[in-house]
Amino acid sequence: MSGLNIADVSFDYGAKRALDGVSLTAEPGRFTALLGPNGAGKSTLFALISGLIATRRGRVLVEGFDIATNPRAALSRLGIVFQAQTLDLDLTVRHNLRYFGALHGMSGKELDHRIDAAMDRLDMRDRLAERAAELNGGHRRRMEIARALLHRPSVLVLDEPTVGLDVASRMAITRHVHDLAADEGLAVFWATHLVDEIADGDHLVLLHKGRVLAAGQAGALRGQVPLNDWFLGQTRVPA
Amino acid sequence: MSYRIALTAITLRELRRFLSQRGRFFAALVRPLVWLVVFAAGFRAALGLSIIPPYQTYITYEVYITPGLCGMILLFAGMQNALSLVYDREMGTMRLLLSSPLPRPFILFAKLFAGTVVAVAQVYAFLAVAVLIGVDIPLAGLVFILPALILSGMMLGSLGLLLSATISRLENFAGVMNFVIFPMFFLSTALYPLWKMAESSPLLRDICAVNPFSHAVELIRFALYGQIAPVALLVVLGCGAVFFALAVFFYDPRRGLQRSKA
């Protein structure tokens, strides 16, 4: 089994049900968008996928490895970009990347090669010696995406990665990650509440109040109506 | 191999961050120095100290409280470090760590170790100033205390992690100051020897005698004179192991997660 598979996952915070029987798949080479309004359960799902909290019911599989029973194999195949920024702003870009590489068991020349290559791809190699604080929001995000790919995972998950960015950076990053899925064969799983980040060819999973309301190709799901109208129609609260 | 790489990286990161924050460095240095210079000067006159092991001659009060102040640095740093592991201040970096393919007990151990290394660096900075201003401590002792400082720092850090992982009221540093740091520090052998405590109250003396922080201070005090305090060593090792095991058991990253959502 490849990519990311989530099977019948439920999760409660005390008496409040955050996720209710969620099943979905993110396949290699495809951009899978998890669309949902705030409070739909996206962040809880991400905490489960990244092993931060343990699944009580259901299974999360990364490339066939269960995060609950085989976390090390699952996590080493998973690249994660968190919603909150997780860079050390006081440290240089290179130190940030080296730190992450070391957590994944990499060191020395091999790690430095990968860092140089990753930053070349982003045209940011000349900024390796700068403090992360000196990068703008868009560059920090790009760097976090590059960092999440340093250990060459086959699944890349991103939790609302464009929050707080200007329109140009948002579009550039959305395009960049679409390319990663198409060109590198990554299984991309991208959570968002912004419909303009989703292309018609993407796989779309609509999450609302902890349940999957719809799943399928975005273009087919929306039919003739704009995606935004479709989204609002699906998630409208009956008055 | 991958554990060593990760431990080194986590420790280096902590040191780099500490060194890049000059303000934190000076704050950490000023607190014990104020105690040493101001408090000890006032107390010197009020408190007569007889010769007790490991001392072989009459000592000034400054010399007596120097190991206690080393312990105080470790105590403050350990609590601060532990709190940041549980609550949102370091939530982002903790997420990065917890989602790496490293076992959770190792991650917590590595974070405590890194925090301890930074705290030990603060202790040495303090001791350097203490020597410069003329406090009479044996220079060879500066080497001997290193293992004692690391063991004590790990024990106090584990205690801090255990407390902040289990007691929901200890959400901020002020709470920890009032309910953990001050009682532990004052009810210990850091400021007065046990016999001096006993003069005022046998109960206070008993509390001091069982306080693990007293044992950390005594371990450091004897190490400074090239001696091993066996009981203190056992207590520090035993408490450290128990505190750490319990802290790993109770640590739940959701605490920080829920709080940052609220």
Side-chain angles (χ1 to χ4, degrees), chain B residues 106-162:
Chain B
F106 172 80
I107 292 172
L108 293 175
F109 176 85
K111 285 293 280 184
L112 287 180
F113 179 78
T116 300
V117 169
V118 169
V120 168
Q122 293 173 35
V123 169
Y124 275 106
F126 161 73
L127 287 172
V129 179
V131 169
L132 282 178
I133 60 175
V135 179
D136 184 21
I137 42 181
L139 292 182
L142 296 180
V143 180
F144 299 137
I145 58 167
L146 181 61
L149 292 174
I150 290 176
L151 288 179
S152 301
M154 290 298 286
M155 188 269 282
L156 295 168
S158 302
L159 174 65
L161 183 57
L162 173 61

Side-chain angles (χ1 to χ4, degrees), chain A residues 11 13 44 47 50-53 56 72 75-76 80 82 86 88 90-91 95 99-100 102-107 147, chain B residues 2-3 5-6 9-10 13 16-17 20-21 92-93 95-104 253-254 257-258 261:
Chain A
F11 194 83
Y13 285 112
T44 303
S50 56
L52 202 62
I53 54 182
R56 301 255 173 76
R72 302 191 65 186
L75 289 170
S76 64
I80 307 169
F82 295 101
T86 55
D88 284 315
D90 297 329
L91 303 187
H95 281 147
Y99 172 65
F100 179 85
L103 298 183
H104 284 263
M106 294 181 275
S107 64
R147 182 178 65 176
Chain B
S2 65
Y3 288 126
I5 293 174
I10 292 169
R13 168 183 174 267
R16 284 203 181 98
R17 270 164 46 88
S20 70
Q21 299 167 357
T93 38
R95 268 182 221 194
L96 200 65
L97 267 172
L98 292 168
S99 59
S100 71
L102 294 165
R104 194 162 287 183
R254 254 187 305 163
L257 199 69
Q258 276 173 316
K261 275 181 95 170

Side-chain angles (χ1 to χ4, degrees), chain A residues 7-24:
Chain A
D8 198 26
V9 165
S10 297
F11 194 83
D12 304 326
Y13 285 112
K16 188 177 165 279
R17 174 139 289 198
L19 292 173
D20 191 4
V22 170
S23 296
L24 58 89

Side-chain angles (χ1 to χ4, degrees), chain A residues 33 40 88 101 110 130 135 142 192-193 202 206 221 223 225-226:
Chain A
D88 284 315
E110 164 68 11
E130 288 178 33
L135 303 182
R142 280 162 169 263
T192 185
H193 62 268
D202 295 341
L206 179 64
L221 283 176
V225 291

Side-chain angles (χ1 to χ4, degrees), chain A residues 213-237:
Chain A
L213 283 191
Q217 201 189 39
L221 283 176
R222 74 175 176 87
Q224 296 302 313
V225 291
L227 190 57
N228 198 32
D229 296 350
W230 177 82
F231 174 49
L232 290 174
Q234 292 283 323
T235 56
R236 190 185 301 128
V237 184

Side-chain angles (χ1 to χ4, degrees), chain B:
Chain B
M1 182 61 188
S2 65
Y3 288 126
R4 214 192 61 214
I5 293 174
L7 183 64
T8 311
I10 292 169
T11 308
L12 270 178
R13 168 183 174 267
E14 214 76 41
L15 275 171
R16 284 203 181 98
R17 270 164 46 88
F18 183 71
L19 293 175
S20 70
Q21 299 167 357
R22 301 265 155 78
R24 221 177 118 198
F25 187 80
F26 284 110
L29 200 55
V30 163
R31 190 183 306 118
L33 282 176
V34 167
W35 277 86
L36 186 66
V37 176
V38 181
F39 181 82
F43 249 56
R44 189 177 191 166
L47 197 77
L49 286 181
S50 67
I51 302 170
I52 48 163
Y55 306 110
Q56 293 177 347
T57 170
Y58 283 105
I59 50 161
T60 61
Y61 189 60
E62 285 92 333
V63 172
Y64 181 81
I65 67 164
T66 295
L69 295 176
C70 294
M72 182 173 89
I73 297 172
L74 298 175
L75 182 63
F76 266 89
M79 295 294 146
Q80 222 155 11
N81 187 33
L83 215 59
S84 73
L85 288 180
V86 175
Y87 290 106
D88 45 4
R89 199 157 4 137
E90 272 221 65
M91 210 45 218
T93 38
M94 273 317 276
R95 268 182 221 194
L96 200 65
L97 267 172
L98 292 168
S99 59
S100 71
L102 294 165
R104 194 162 287 183
F106 172 80
I107 292 172
L108 293 175
F109 176 85
K111 285 293 280 184
L112 287 180
F113 179 78
T116 300
V117 169
V118 169
V120 168
Q122 293 173 35
V123 169
Y124 275 106
F126 161 73
L127 287 172
V129 179
V131 169
L132 282 178
I133 60 175
V135 179
D136 184 21
I137 42 181
L139 292 182
L142 296 180
V143 180
F144 299 137
I145 58 167
L146 181 61
L149 292 174
I150 290 176
L151 288 179
S152 301
M154 290 298 286
M155 188 269 282
L156 295 168
S158 302
L159 174 65
L161 183 57
L162 173 61
L163 292 174
S164 36
T166 50
I167 305 173
S168 57
R169 306 185 84 141
L170 292 182
E171 281 188 16
N172 56 54
F173 200 62
V176 174
M177 287 268 273
N178 287 334
F179 295 107
V180 182
I181 293 183
F182 284 155
M184 272 194 106
F185 180 63
F186 288 118
L187 293 170
S188 78
T189 56
L191 297 179
Y192 342 91
L194 278 181
W195 65 264
K196 198 81 193 168
M197 273 290 192
E199 279 178 5
S200 63
S201 153
L203 176 68
L204 278 184
R205 190 219 30 221
D206 293 343
I207 294 174
C208 289
V210 295
N211 180 355
F213 182 69
S214 292
H215 293 278
V217 170
E218 292 311 302
L219 188 66
I220 297 167
R221 189 188 309 285
F222 278 79
L224 196 55
Y225 295 87
Q227 299 174 35
I228 293 173
V231 176
L233 179 64
L234 287 176
V235 171
V236 169
L237 281 174
C239 286
V242 171
F243 294 158
F244 180 71
L246 290 173
V248 169
F249 181 77
F250 284 112
Y251 177 76
D252 181 357
R254 254 187 305 163
R255 284 169 84 91
L257 199 69
Q258 276 173 316
R259 189 158 173 265
S260 64
K261 275 181 95 170

